[in-house]
Amino acid sequence: MRVDERVEKVRYIGVNAPEVHHPTRGEEPGGREASDANRRLVAGRHVRLELDLQSRDRYGRLLAYVWVADTMVNAELVRQGYAQVMTVPPNVRYQRLFLELQRDARQAGRGLWRRA
């Protein structure tokens, strides 16, 4: 993501999705689907970043809630079932919302919770 004139790696706060390019495990199950869902939400769109108490992780990545218009991408990925809640204090502003969305997605069998 480009922030001002810099390219920044942004880590979505509060959620964890399977990866396509995991450094040790390669492509994780559901990684392609999660990546595609994220791309549908943000590709070619202007995004707004909302920071919480801690702005960077130990790897130097910018930690943010990512918004496209009135949609928080972090929450939408959980709602669709393509990400799970992963709370890392002190960044817990939307923890309750994320947990509710995850419960609903799991009960409805959406995304990665889809029953075979």
Side-chain angles (χ1 to χ4, degrees), residues 11-74:
R11 172 75 169 84
Y12 289 18
I13 296 174
V15 302
N16 189 42
E19 297 183 38
V20 177
H21 304 289
H22 191 279
T24 59
R25 295 187 293 259
E27 185 172 330
E28 297 176 318
R32 182 80 46 212
E33 294 88 346
S35 177
D36 290 347
N38 183 66
R39 189 174 294 108
R40 285 191 300 271
L41 291 165
V42 300
R45 295 189 168 92
H46 177 80
V47 301
R48 178 174 53 87
L49 302 180
E50 177 185 351
L51 306 181
D52 207 330
L53 294 175
Q54 182 179 347
S55 62
R56 294 202 180 263
D57 67 8
R58 66 180 180 203
Y59 305 108
R61 297 177 295 190
L62 188 60
L63 301 172
Y65 303 103
V66 178
W67 294 84
V68 173
D70 293 332
T71 300
M72 185 201 313
V73 177
N74 314 47

Side-chain angles (χ1 to χ4, degrees), residues 75-89:
E76 186 61 15
L77 290 171
V78 174
R79 190 193 71 74
Q80 291 180 16
Y82 292 110
Q84 295 183 34
V85 176
M86 185 183 84
T87 303
V88 180

